[in-house]
Amino acid sequence: MKILSLLIAAVLPAHAANPSFDWNSETIRCGNLVYGNNQTAICFADTFLSDAAKETGLKIAAKFATIHLAKDDVFTTPLCIFTGQGDFKLNGTERANLKRYLENGGFMLASPGCSDSAWNGAFKREIALALPGYGLKQIPMDHEIFSTVKRITKLTVKGRTTYLQGVFVNGRLALVYSPEGLNNAANAKGCCCCGGAEIKECREVNVNAVAYALLH
């Protein structure tokens, strides 16, 4: 993975030069979004951050940073998780920041806690409102995100094949979404995806997402 770490190190200054962002080139943080009525992740394992640090050789914070979508601190990290449970509604500032973040190099991993249908419905509604004209599209299995670090040839949920959806901005994958779940709740302390249907390969997907976010 030495070559990958060198590539990422070369790309980071270009991200930092973007006037919309202030990337921290020493310690890379992954944000845990707070949005709506103070909703945020309940059970999303952070183990993939340590995995990504080990695989790439980069200094990646092992824990999520609390990031409020309505505040400018969302523009200080290249990657955020967008997850939770139950219905929610973004305000105008949150929608505007979501759009600006993704259009200016930010990357998001989005999935419901425990495959929650109410959250899924709210997410699709809010993405349509915040990102008119983009839409969620199926991500083909030959996309780079399935091979940046870990080679992933298929995605499975309880033995059946599934797929990820995404938002593409000028050809760049800016948001990855799973209606089943990428939370890896089994490795989140005190959590259980009871009755949910998470993607079996979610930990590998999340590791790849970190590398992809930093390369693009």
Side-chain angles (χ1 to χ4, degrees):
M1 289 294 116
K2 185 177 180 180
I3 294 176
L4 177 61
S5 62
L6 290 173
L7 284 171
I8 293 174
V11 170
L12 279 175
H15 279 303
N18 190 316
S20 298
F21 295 90
D22 181 22
W23 305 125
N24 184 334
S25 61
E26 293 185 2
T27 300
I28 300 162
R29 302 186 305 158
C30 176
N32 177 11
L33 287 185
V34 179
Y35 57 92
N37 188 23
N38 286 321
Q39 287 152 284
T40 191
I42 299 172
C43 290
F44 199 113
D46 56 19
T47 49
F48 74 95
L49 297 174
S50 297
D51 292 345
K54 181 179 179 180
E55 293 283 354
T56 64
L58 296 172
K59 188 176 180 181
I60 300 172
K63 300 295 181 182
F64 296 127
T66 299
I67 298 290
H68 292 263
L69 185 55
K71 298 181 180 180
D72 285 345
D73 58 353
V74 71
F75 303 113
T76 65
T77 176
L79 170 70
C80 289
I81 61 167
F82 187 1
T83 182
Q85 291 180 244
D87 191 17
F88 67 89
K89 183 178 180 180
L90 301 182
N91 62 37
T93 300
E94 289 173 324
R95 289 175 185 154
N97 281 356
L98 174 60
K99 185 173 187 289
R100 179 185 166 203
Y101 179 75
L102 296 180
E103 287 184 336
N104 287 277
F107 183 93
M108 287 186 182
L109 277 172
S111 74
C114 229
S115 310
D116 185 69
S117 59
W119 193 92
N120 275 327
F123 172 79
K124 292 176 183 177
R125 181 191 68 234
E126 291 298 332
I127 287 297
L129 290 170
L131 299 165
Y134 285 98
L136 289 162
K137 298 178 175 63
Q138 183 173 333
I139 304 172
M141 289 305 300
D142 61 357
H143 189 275
E144 184 183 348
I145 199 167
F146 297 117
S147 60
T148 50
V149 179
K150 305 287 187 180
R151 175 72 65 176
I152 304 169
T153 58
K154 66 177 181 178
L155 301 171
T156 56
V157 171
K158 294 185 175 180
R160 64 175 175 82
T161 301
T162 189
Y163 60 88
L164 296 175
Q165 299 174 47
V167 171
F168 292 83
V169 176
N170 296 325
R172 178 185 68 91
L173 181 60
L175 181 149
V176 171
Y177 166 61
S178 166
E180 290 101 351
L182 293 168
N183 298 35
N184 190 21
N187 286 300
K189 187 176 180 180
C191 293
C192 169
C193 187
C194 305
E198 288 187 341
I199 290 177
K200 181 181 178 182
E201 299 79 11
C202 59
R203 187 167 179 169
E204 291 82 2
V205 170
N206 296 343
V207 170
N208 283 6
V210 174
Y212 182 87
L214 297 176
L215 284 168
H216 299 274

